[in-house]
Protein backbone atom coordinates (compact mmCIF):
# COMPACT_ATOMS: atom_id res chain seq x y z
CA UNK A 1 0.00 0.00 0.00
CA UNK A 2 1.48 3.30 -1.16
CA UNK A 3 2.06 5.94 1.51
CA UNK A 4 -0.07 8.37 -0.51
CA UNK A 5 -3.05 6.22 0.50
CA UNK A 6 -2.60 7.27 4.13
CA UNK A 7 -3.45 10.81 3.06
CA UNK A 8 -6.96 9.51 2.32
CA UNK A 9 -7.49 7.07 5.18
CA UNK A 10 -8.88 7.44 8.65
CA UNK A 11 -10.55 5.21 11.22
CA UNK A 12 -13.54 3.23 9.92
CA UNK A 13 -15.43 3.81 13.17
CA UNK A 14 -17.96 6.59 12.56
CA UNK A 15 -17.60 8.27 15.94
CA UNK A 16 -13.84 8.65 15.42
CA UNK A 17 -14.14 10.67 12.20
CA UNK A 18 -15.09 13.89 13.99
CA UNK A 19 -12.01 13.62 16.19
CA UNK A 20 -8.81 15.19 14.79
CA UNK A 21 -6.80 12.46 16.55
CA UNK A 22 -8.16 9.84 14.11
CA UNK A 23 -6.11 11.31 11.25
CA UNK A 24 -3.64 10.22 10.14
CA UNK A 25 -3.59 6.55 11.03
CA UNK A 26 -0.26 5.63 12.58
CA UNK A 27 1.78 2.81 11.05
CA UNK A 28 3.07 0.30 13.59
CA UNK A 29 5.51 -2.61 13.08
CA UNK A 30 5.51 -1.67 9.42
CA UNK A 31 7.59 -3.44 6.81
CA UNK A 32 8.36 -1.21 3.85
CA UNK A 33 9.17 -1.94 0.28
CA UNK A 34 10.11 0.42 -2.55
CA UNK A 35 8.36 -0.40 -5.82
CA UNK A 36 9.49 1.73 -8.72
CA UNK A 37 6.74 3.51 -10.61
CA UNK A 38 6.56 6.00 -13.48
CA UNK A 39 6.71 9.61 -12.39
CA UNK A 40 3.84 11.75 -13.67
CA UNK A 41 4.62 15.41 -13.09
CA UNK A 42 1.10 16.67 -13.82
CA UNK A 43 -0.23 14.11 -11.35
CA UNK A 44 2.19 15.26 -8.64
CA UNK A 45 1.41 18.93 -9.23
CA UNK A 46 -2.33 18.36 -9.05
CA UNK A 47 -2.12 16.22 -5.98
CA UNK A 48 0.08 18.69 -4.13
CA UNK A 49 -2.74 20.92 -2.80
CA UNK A 50 -4.48 17.80 -1.46
CA UNK A 51 -1.59 16.62 0.69
CA UNK A 52 -1.95 16.94 4.45
CA UNK A 53 1.68 17.90 4.76
CA UNK A 54 2.09 18.00 8.55
CA UNK A 55 0.42 14.61 8.89
CA UNK A 56 2.58 13.11 6.14
CA UNK A 57 5.66 14.43 7.95
CA UNK A 58 4.50 12.62 11.09
CA UNK A 59 4.04 9.37 9.16
CA UNK A 60 7.45 9.68 7.47
CA UNK A 61 9.13 10.21 10.82
CA UNK A 62 7.21 7.32 12.43
CA UNK A 63 8.40 5.06 9.63
CA UNK A 64 12.00 6.22 10.05
CA UNK A 65 12.10 7.73 6.57
CA UNK A 66 14.18 10.82 5.75
CA UNK A 67 12.44 13.90 7.16
CA UNK A 68 10.15 15.78 4.81
CA UNK A 69 10.80 19.53 4.59
CA UNK A 70 8.83 21.61 7.09
CA UNK A 71 6.75 23.27 4.43
CA UNK A 72 5.28 21.61 1.34
CA UNK A 73 6.98 22.30 -1.98
CA UNK A 74 5.19 24.61 -4.41
CA UNK A 75 4.14 23.45 -7.88
CA UNK A 76 7.06 25.40 -9.33
CA UNK A 77 9.47 23.48 -7.09
CA UNK A 78 8.54 20.24 -8.83
CA UNK A 79 10.01 21.00 -12.22
CA UNK A 80 13.33 22.29 -13.42
CA UNK A 81 12.69 25.69 -14.98
CA UNK A 82 12.68 25.26 -18.73
CA UNK A 83 15.26 27.45 -20.49
CA UNK A 84 13.74 30.78 -21.37
CA UNK A 85 14.32 32.52 -24.70
CA UNK A 86 17.51 31.17 -26.27
CA UNK A 87 20.48 33.46 -26.23
CA UNK A 88 20.70 34.58 -29.87
CA UNK A 89 24.24 35.94 -29.62
CA UNK A 90 25.80 32.56 -28.95
CA UNK A 91 23.60 30.76 -31.43
CA UNK A 92 24.72 33.06 -34.21
CA UNK A 93 28.34 32.38 -33.47
CA UNK A 94 27.89 28.67 -33.94
CA UNK A 95 29.13 26.89 -36.99
CA UNK A 96 26.02 26.49 -39.21
CA UNK A 97 26.63 22.74 -39.40
CA UNK A 98 26.26 22.45 -35.65
CA UNK A 99 22.68 23.76 -35.76
CA UNK A 100 21.57 20.53 -37.34
CA UNK A 101 23.43 18.45 -34.81
CA UNK A 102 21.26 16.62 -32.29
CA UNK A 103 22.92 18.54 -29.44
CA UNK A 104 21.18 21.65 -30.72
CA UNK A 105 17.49 20.94 -30.89
CA UNK A 106 15.50 23.44 -32.93
CA UNK A 107 13.99 26.32 -30.94
CA UNK A 108 10.40 25.21 -31.63
CA UNK A 109 10.94 22.28 -29.23
CA UNK A 110 10.78 24.65 -26.27
CA UNK A 111 7.13 25.31 -27.13
CA UNK A 112 6.31 21.75 -26.23
CA UNK A 113 5.51 21.55 -22.51
CA UNK A 114 8.09 18.91 -21.75
CA UNK A 115 9.07 19.73 -18.19
CA UNK A 116 11.75 17.91 -16.32
CA UNK A 117 10.98 16.78 -12.78
CA UNK A 118 13.18 18.39 -10.15
CA UNK A 119 14.92 16.43 -7.40
CA UNK A 120 12.08 17.58 -5.11
CA UNK A 121 9.56 15.91 -7.42
CA UNK A 122 11.63 12.73 -7.57
CA UNK A 123 11.87 12.63 -3.77
CA UNK A 124 8.15 13.26 -3.31
CA UNK A 125 7.32 10.59 -5.88
CA UNK A 126 9.62 8.18 -4.06
CA UNK A 127 7.94 8.73 -0.70
CA UNK A 128 4.30 8.93 -1.78
CA UNK A 129 4.07 6.57 -4.73
CA UNK A 130 7.00 4.20 -4.52
CA UNK A 131 7.23 3.53 -0.80
CA UNK A 132 4.72 0.87 0.20
CA UNK A 133 3.72 -0.74 3.48
CA UNK A 134 3.66 -4.48 2.92
CA UNK A 135 3.00 -5.76 6.43
CA UNK A 136 2.12 -4.19 9.76
CA UNK A 137 -0.70 -2.28 11.37
CA UNK A 138 -2.41 1.07 11.07
CA UNK A 139 -3.53 2.44 14.41
CA UNK A 140 -6.24 5.03 15.11
CA UNK A 141 -4.89 7.78 17.36
CA UNK A 142 -8.36 8.31 18.82
CA UNK A 143 -9.72 4.88 19.74
CA UNK A 144 -6.54 2.83 19.42
CA UNK A 145 -8.13 0.32 17.04
CA UNK A 146 -5.53 -1.53 14.96
CA UNK A 147 -6.09 -2.36 11.30
CA UNK A 148 -3.89 -5.10 9.92
CA UNK A 149 -1.90 -4.72 6.68
CA UNK A 150 -1.12 -8.04 5.03
CA UNK A 151 0.50 -8.57 1.64
CA UNK A 152 0.16 -4.84 1.05
CA UNK A 153 -3.58 -4.78 1.72
CA UNK A 154 -5.06 -2.95 4.71
CA UNK A 155 -8.20 -4.49 6.19
CA UNK A 156 -10.78 -2.10 7.64
CA UNK A 157 -13.56 -4.57 8.41
CA UNK A 158 -14.76 -3.95 11.95
CA UNK A 159 -15.82 -6.55 14.50
CA UNK A 160 -19.61 -6.50 14.97
CA UNK A 161 -19.64 -4.55 18.23
CA UNK A 162 -17.74 -1.62 16.67
CA UNK A 163 -19.97 -1.13 13.62
CA UNK B 1 -42.83 -17.60 -0.46
CA UNK B 2 -42.63 -15.72 2.79
CA UNK B 3 -39.23 -14.30 3.53
CA UNK B 4 -38.41 -15.76 6.91
CA UNK B 5 -34.92 -14.35 7.19
CA UNK B 6 -34.65 -10.80 8.45
CA UNK B 7 -32.85 -8.68 5.90
CA UNK B 8 -29.92 -6.57 7.01
CA UNK B 9 -26.27 -6.99 7.84
CA UNK B 10 -26.33 -10.69 8.78
CA UNK B 11 -28.42 -11.49 5.73
CA UNK B 12 -25.95 -9.74 3.43
CA UNK B 13 -23.02 -11.48 5.13
CA UNK B 14 -24.54 -14.80 4.13
CA UNK B 15 -26.17 -13.98 0.79
CA UNK B 16 -23.69 -11.48 -0.64
CA UNK B 17 -20.31 -11.28 1.11
CA UNK B 18 -19.57 -14.96 1.57
CA UNK B 19 -20.70 -15.71 -1.97
CA UNK B 20 -18.31 -13.19 -3.55
CA UNK B 21 -15.49 -14.49 -1.37
CA UNK B 22 -16.12 -18.00 -2.74
CA UNK B 23 -16.63 -17.12 -6.38
CA UNK B 24 -13.96 -14.35 -6.45
CA UNK B 25 -11.58 -15.96 -8.89
CA UNK B 26 -14.19 -17.16 -11.39
CA UNK B 27 -16.21 -13.94 -11.03
CA UNK B 28 -13.10 -11.91 -11.73
CA UNK B 29 -12.30 -13.87 -14.87
CA UNK B 30 -15.66 -12.76 -16.30
CA UNK B 31 -15.30 -9.11 -15.32
CA UNK B 32 -12.78 -7.31 -17.48
CA UNK B 33 -14.67 -5.08 -19.89
CA UNK B 34 -15.48 -1.65 -18.46
CA UNK B 35 -18.94 -0.29 -19.12
CA UNK B 36 -18.68 2.66 -21.57
CA UNK B 37 -20.29 5.32 -19.36
CA UNK B 38 -17.99 4.45 -16.45
CA UNK B 39 -14.97 4.43 -18.73
CA UNK B 40 -15.95 7.81 -20.15
CA UNK B 41 -16.44 9.24 -16.65
CA UNK B 42 -12.99 8.05 -15.52
CA UNK B 43 -11.15 9.09 -18.66
CA UNK B 44 -12.58 12.61 -18.44
CA UNK B 45 -10.84 13.31 -15.12
CA UNK B 46 -7.78 15.58 -14.91
CA UNK B 47 -4.39 14.04 -14.05
CA UNK B 48 -3.96 13.75 -10.32
CA UNK B 49 -7.68 13.70 -9.50
CA UNK B 50 -8.30 11.59 -6.42
CA UNK B 51 -11.23 9.24 -6.07
CA UNK B 52 -12.75 6.22 -4.42
CA UNK B 53 -14.13 3.07 -6.04
CA UNK B 54 -16.58 1.73 -3.47
CA UNK B 55 -17.04 -1.99 -4.07
CA UNK B 56 -14.18 -2.19 -6.57
CA UNK B 57 -14.43 -5.96 -6.99
CA UNK B 58 -11.50 -7.24 -9.03
CA UNK B 59 -10.51 -3.65 -9.83
CA UNK B 60 -11.54 -3.55 -13.47
CA UNK B 61 -12.20 0.19 -13.17
CA UNK B 62 -8.79 0.75 -11.61
CA UNK B 63 -7.32 -0.23 -14.96
CA UNK B 64 -9.06 2.52 -16.94
CA UNK B 65 -7.05 5.65 -16.07
CA UNK B 66 -3.56 5.47 -14.59
CA UNK B 67 -3.23 9.28 -14.38
CA UNK B 68 -5.67 9.61 -11.48
CA UNK B 69 -5.38 8.08 -8.03
CA UNK B 70 -8.15 5.77 -6.86
CA UNK B 71 -8.53 4.09 -3.50
CA UNK B 72 -10.60 1.03 -4.32
CA UNK B 73 -12.34 -0.84 -1.53
CA UNK B 74 -14.24 -4.08 -1.37
CA UNK B 75 -15.71 -6.35 1.29
CA UNK B 76 -14.10 -9.40 -0.32
CA UNK B 77 -10.44 -9.97 0.58
CA UNK B 78 -10.08 -12.39 -2.33
CA UNK B 79 -11.28 -9.78 -4.84
CA UNK B 80 -9.05 -7.08 -3.31
CA UNK B 81 -6.05 -9.37 -3.70
CA UNK B 82 -6.80 -9.33 -7.43
CA UNK B 83 -7.59 -5.58 -7.52
CA UNK B 84 -4.36 -4.49 -5.84
CA UNK B 85 -2.24 -5.08 -8.93
CA UNK B 86 -3.52 -1.98 -10.75
CA UNK B 87 -0.98 0.85 -10.64
CA UNK B 88 -0.86 3.54 -9.37
CA UNK B 89 -4.00 2.85 -7.35
CA UNK B 90 -4.57 1.23 -3.98
CA UNK B 91 -7.06 -1.44 -2.96
CA UNK B 92 -8.20 -1.98 0.61
CA UNK B 93 -10.68 -4.25 2.33
CA UNK B 94 -13.59 -2.25 3.78
CA UNK B 95 -17.34 -2.28 4.25
CA UNK B 96 -19.19 0.31 2.18
CA UNK B 97 -21.19 1.41 5.24
CA UNK B 98 -18.01 1.87 7.31
CA UNK B 99 -15.56 3.40 4.88
CA UNK B 100 -12.19 4.43 6.34
CA UNK B 101 -11.95 7.75 4.52
CA UNK B 102 -11.99 11.30 5.83
CA UNK B 103 -15.31 12.91 4.89
CA UNK B 104 -15.42 15.22 1.87
CA UNK B 105 -11.92 14.51 0.64
CA UNK B 106 -12.37 13.08 -2.89
CA UNK B 107 -12.79 14.66 -6.31
CA UNK B 108 -14.86 11.74 -7.46
CA UNK B 109 -16.34 8.44 -6.35
CA UNK B 110 -17.76 5.52 -8.27
CA UNK B 111 -19.80 2.61 -7.00
CA UNK B 112 -20.65 0.23 -9.78
CA UNK B 113 -23.06 -2.66 -9.22
CA UNK B 114 -22.77 -2.49 -5.45
CA UNK B 115 -25.67 -0.61 -3.83
CA UNK B 116 -28.17 -3.19 -5.16
CA UNK B 117 -26.63 -5.74 -2.78
CA UNK B 118 -27.88 -3.90 0.31
CA UNK B 119 -31.02 -5.62 1.49
CA UNK B 120 -33.23 -2.92 3.04
CA UNK B 121 -34.32 0.50 1.71
CA UNK B 122 -32.65 2.27 4.66
CA UNK B 123 -29.34 0.47 4.09
CA UNK B 124 -29.38 1.34 0.38
CA UNK B 125 -29.87 5.03 1.17
CA UNK B 126 -27.12 4.75 3.79
CA UNK B 127 -24.82 3.21 1.16
CA UNK B 128 -25.52 6.07 -1.26
CA UNK B 129 -24.94 8.60 1.53
CA UNK B 130 -21.61 6.96 2.35
CA UNK B 131 -20.54 7.49 -1.28
CA UNK B 132 -21.76 11.11 -1.39
CA UNK B 133 -20.06 11.90 1.93
CA UNK B 134 -16.69 11.12 0.32
CA UNK B 135 -17.08 13.99 -2.14
CA UNK B 136 -15.49 17.39 -1.78
CA UNK B 137 -18.09 19.98 -0.84
CA UNK B 138 -19.08 22.51 -3.50
CA UNK B 139 -17.28 25.85 -3.29
CA UNK B 140 -20.60 27.58 -2.68
CA UNK B 141 -24.23 26.56 -2.33
CA UNK B 142 -25.29 28.02 -5.65
CA UNK B 143 -22.53 26.11 -7.45
CA UNK B 144 -23.23 22.51 -6.44
CA UNK B 145 -21.31 21.19 -9.46
CA UNK B 146 -18.06 22.70 -8.22
CA UNK B 147 -17.77 19.89 -5.68
CA UNK B 148 -16.85 16.24 -6.13
CA UNK B 149 -18.94 13.99 -8.35
CA UNK B 150 -20.19 10.43 -7.90
CA UNK B 151 -21.24 7.83 -10.46
CA UNK B 152 -23.51 5.04 -9.24
CA UNK B 153 -24.74 1.98 -11.16
CA UNK B 154 -27.39 -0.48 -10.07
CA UNK B 155 -29.09 -3.43 -11.75
CA UNK B 156 -32.45 -2.60 -13.32
CA UNK B 157 -35.75 -4.37 -12.84
CA UNK B 158 -36.67 -3.41 -16.39
CA UNK B 159 -34.60 -5.81 -18.50
CA UNK B 160 -37.07 -7.93 -20.38
CA UNK B 161 -34.62 -8.55 -23.23
CA UNK B 162 -31.89 -9.89 -20.96
CA UNK B 163 -31.50 -13.59 -20.31
CA UNK B 164 -32.99 -13.04 -16.85
CA UNK B 165 -36.10 -11.51 -18.39
CA UNK B 166 -37.25 -9.44 -15.41
CA UNK B 167 -39.52 -6.50 -16.08
CA UNK B 168 -41.75 -3.86 -14.57
CA UNK B 169 -44.09 -5.29 -11.94
CA UNK B 170 -41.82 -8.24 -11.08
CA UNK B 171 -40.49 -8.96 -7.59
CA UNK B 172 -37.59 -6.57 -6.91
CA UNK B 173 -35.78 -8.59 -4.25
CA UNK B 174 -34.32 -11.63 -5.94
CA UNK B 175 -31.72 -14.36 -5.51
CA UNK B 176 -29.50 -14.68 -8.55
CA UNK B 177 -27.55 -17.88 -9.16
CA UNK B 178 -23.84 -17.98 -9.91
CA UNK B 179 -22.77 -21.35 -11.25
CA UNK B 180 -19.23 -22.16 -10.33
CA UNK B 181 -17.63 -24.78 -12.54
CA UNK B 182 -14.25 -26.26 -11.92
CA UNK B 183 -13.05 -26.88 -8.40
CA UNK B 184 -11.51 -30.07 -9.74
CA UNK B 185 -12.32 -32.94 -7.50
CA UNK B 186 -10.68 -36.27 -7.82
CA UNK B 187 -13.13 -39.09 -8.31
CA UNK B 188 -12.25 -42.72 -8.07
CA UNK B 189 -13.38 -44.82 -10.95
CA UNK B 190 -14.08 -48.42 -10.16
CA UNK B 191 -12.39 -51.15 -12.18
CA UNK B 192 -15.73 -52.58 -13.29
CA UNK B 193 -16.22 -49.68 -15.68
CA UNK B 194 -13.28 -50.83 -17.74
CA UNK B 195 -13.55 -52.44 -21.07
CA UNK B 196 -13.47 -56.21 -21.08
CA UNK B 197 -10.17 -56.51 -22.86
CA UNK B 198 -8.57 -54.08 -20.46
CA UNK B 199 -6.89 -56.61 -18.24
CA UNK B 200 -6.76 -55.34 -14.71
CA UNK B 201 -3.48 -55.73 -12.92
CA UNK B 202 -3.28 -56.27 -9.20
CA UNK B 203 -3.37 -53.03 -7.17
CA UNK B 204 -4.78 -51.19 -10.14
CA UNK B 205 -8.42 -51.68 -9.34
CA UNK B 206 -9.07 -47.98 -9.13
CA UNK B 207 -7.94 -45.15 -11.28
CA UNK B 208 -8.27 -41.48 -10.72
CA UNK B 209 -10.01 -39.10 -13.11
CA UNK B 210 -10.71 -35.43 -12.61
CA UNK B 211 -14.34 -34.34 -12.89
CA UNK B 212 -15.78 -30.86 -13.02
CA UNK B 213 -18.06 -30.37 -10.08
CA UNK B 214 -20.66 -27.66 -10.44
CA UNK B 215 -21.76 -25.60 -7.50
CA UNK B 216 -24.45 -22.95 -7.54
CA UNK B 217 -24.30 -19.91 -5.29
CA UNK B 218 -27.18 -17.52 -4.80
CA UNK B 219 -26.57 -13.81 -4.44
CA UNK B 220 -29.14 -11.34 -3.15
CA UNK B 221 -30.02 -8.35 -5.36
CA UNK B 222 -32.51 -5.54 -5.09
CA UNK B 223 -33.48 -4.72 -8.67
CA UNK B 224 -33.98 -0.99 -9.07
CA UNK B 225 -37.05 0.28 -10.86
CA UNK B 226 -37.18 3.46 -12.90
CA UNK B 227 -36.62 6.55 -10.75
CA UNK B 228 -35.63 4.61 -7.64
CA UNK B 229 -31.89 5.36 -7.83
CA UNK B 230 -32.60 9.08 -8.22
CA UNK B 231 -34.94 8.84 -5.22
CA UNK B 232 -32.25 7.18 -3.08
CA UNK B 233 -29.72 9.86 -4.10
CA UNK B 234 -32.08 12.70 -3.15
CA UNK B 235 -32.89 10.93 0.11
CA UNK B 236 -29.17 10.65 0.87
CA UNK B 237 -28.55 14.39 0.42
CA UNK B 238 -27.40 14.32 -3.17
CA UNK B 239 -28.34 16.20 -6.29
CA UNK B 240 -28.71 14.14 -9.45
CA UNK B 241 -26.75 15.69 -12.31
CA UNK B 242 -27.43 13.12 -15.02
CA UNK B 243 -29.08 9.74 -15.04
CA UNK B 244 -29.97 7.06 -17.51
CA UNK B 245 -30.24 3.44 -18.48
CA UNK B 246 -27.47 1.37 -19.99
CA UNK B 247 -27.49 -2.37 -20.66
CA UNK B 248 -29.91 -3.55 -17.96
CA UNK B 249 -28.65 -1.01 -15.44
CA UNK B 250 -29.78 2.34 -14.09
CA UNK B 251 -27.00 4.86 -13.54
CA UNK B 252 -26.73 8.38 -12.17
CA UNK B 253 -24.08 11.00 -11.53
CA UNK B 254 -24.59 13.10 -8.43
CA UNK B 255 -23.06 15.89 -6.39
CA UNK B 256 -23.70 16.97 -2.82
CA UNK B 257 -26.72 19.19 -2.40
CA UNK B 258 -25.76 22.57 -0.98
CA UNK B 259 -27.07 23.37 2.48
CA UNK B 260 -30.15 25.59 2.59
Amino acid sequence: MKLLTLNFLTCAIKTCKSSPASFPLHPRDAELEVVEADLNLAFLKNILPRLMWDELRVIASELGLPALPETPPSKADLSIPSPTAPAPATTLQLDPEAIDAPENPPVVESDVEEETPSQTAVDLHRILLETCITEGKLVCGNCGHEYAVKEGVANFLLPGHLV
Amino acid sequence: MAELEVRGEEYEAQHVHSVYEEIASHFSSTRYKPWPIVEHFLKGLPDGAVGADVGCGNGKYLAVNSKVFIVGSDRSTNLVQIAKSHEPHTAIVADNLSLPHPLHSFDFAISIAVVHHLSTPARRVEAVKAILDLLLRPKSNDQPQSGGRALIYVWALEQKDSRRGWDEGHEQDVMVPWVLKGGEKVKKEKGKKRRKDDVPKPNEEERVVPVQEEKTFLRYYHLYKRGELEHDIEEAGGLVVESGYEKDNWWATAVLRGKE
Side-chain angles (χ1 to χ4, degrees), chain B:
Chain B
M1 282 290 282
E3 185 62 73
L4 294 175
E5 286 172 283
V6 179
R7 294 220 177 99
E9 200 188 332
E10 288 294 315
Y11 183 87
E12 291 154 20
Q14 190 187 342
H15 297 296
V16 179
H17 308 153
S18 66
V19 177
Y20 277 107
E21 200 68 347
E22 294 241 27
I23 68 174
S25 172
H26 181 230
F27 174 81
S28 176
S29 69
T30 66
R31 295 290 185 280
Y32 46 85
K33 201 169 185 278
W35 289 338
I37 289 176
V38 188
E39 192 176 15
H40 185 255
F41 178 89
L42 292 172
K43 284 190 168 162
L45 298 161
D47 284 16
V50 179
D53 182 353
V54 180
C56 67
N58 67 346
K60 78 170 172 177
Y61 291 111
L62 301 182
V64 171
N65 186 345
S66 61
K67 293 178 173 178
V68 299
F69 182 64
I70 303 177
V71 184
S73 58
D74 203 279
R75 196 78 179 54
S76 163
T77 308
N78 290 342
L79 285 172
V80 170
Q81 282 297 337
I82 302 168
K84 74 173 183 183
S85 64
H86 298 287
E87 293 292 335
H89 314 292
T90 293
I92 59 169
V93 178
D95 189 288
N96 63 340
L97 298 186
S98 295
L99 290 171
H101 303 302
L103 301 177
H104 307 298
S105 55
F106 290 95
D107 299 300
F108 68 96
I110 62 170
S111 193
I112 310 302
V114 176
V115 177
H116 54 213
H117 283 310
L118 280 294
S119 59
T120 69
R123 288 172 67 78
R124 287 190 288 275
V125 172
E126 196 184 339
V128 173
K129 186 173 188 302
I131 298 160
L132 295 171
D133 281 347
L134 298 174
L135 301 176
L136 287 171
R137 292 185 199 280
K139 290 188 182 82
S140 69
N141 282 349
D142 50 356
Q143 286 179 291
Q145 300 216 25
S146 60
R149 187 170 297 211
L151 173 63
I152 302 173
Y153 257 73
V154 287
W155 219 1
L157 176 64
E158 300 86 349
Q159 47 169 305
K160 64 178 192 304
D161 297 327
S162 78
R163 72 185 165 102
R164 314 276 183 192
W166 298 305
D167 202 3
E168 207 182 331
H170 287 202
E171 170 63 44
Q172 284 184 265
D173 295 287
V174 296
M175 302 302 287
V176 179
W178 182 276
V179 180
L180 191 65
K181 293 187 178 116
E184 282 201 353
K185 270 204 155 187
V186 170
K187 187 186 168 190
K188 283 170 181 167
E189 190 185 71
K190 294 289 178 198
K192 64 184 174 187
K193 284 185 182 172
R194 291 177 184 184
R195 286 164 46 180
K196 274 179 261 169
D197 56 347
D198 204 8
V199 185
K201 290 175 193 161
N203 302 325
E204 222 197 324
E205 278 302 297
E206 294 176 340
R207 53 180 156 168
V208 173
V209 290
V211 294
Q212 298 283 307
E213 214 176 66
E214 264 191 16
K215 196 174 174 192
T216 301
F217 294 87
L218 292 173
R219 287 167 300 162
Y220 166 84
Y221 279 86
H222 174 80
L223 303 170
Y224 271 70
K225 59 183 181 190
R226 180 186 294 275
E228 196 176 356
L229 176 60
E230 290 89 333
H231 170 270
D232 282 2
I233 289 170
E234 299 282 335
E235 193 85 343
L239 185 70
V240 176
V241 179
E242 271 188 291
S243 61
Y245 181 89
E246 186 198 40
K247 280 190 180 172
D248 310 331
N249 287 274
W250 293 109
W251 63 269
T253 54
V255 294
L256 284 168
R257 194 165 53 218
K259 290 196 185 98
E260 261 90 80

Side-chain angles (χ1 to χ4, degrees), chain A residues 119-141:
Chain A
Q119 188 58 44
T120 307
V122 171
D123 291 346
L124 197 61
H125 174 73
R126 172 53 62 107
I127 289 186
L128 296 179
L129 289 144
E130 294 188 323
T131 309
C132 305
I133 300 179
T134 54
E135 299 285 327
K137 294 168 194 148
L138 299 173
V139 185
C140 172

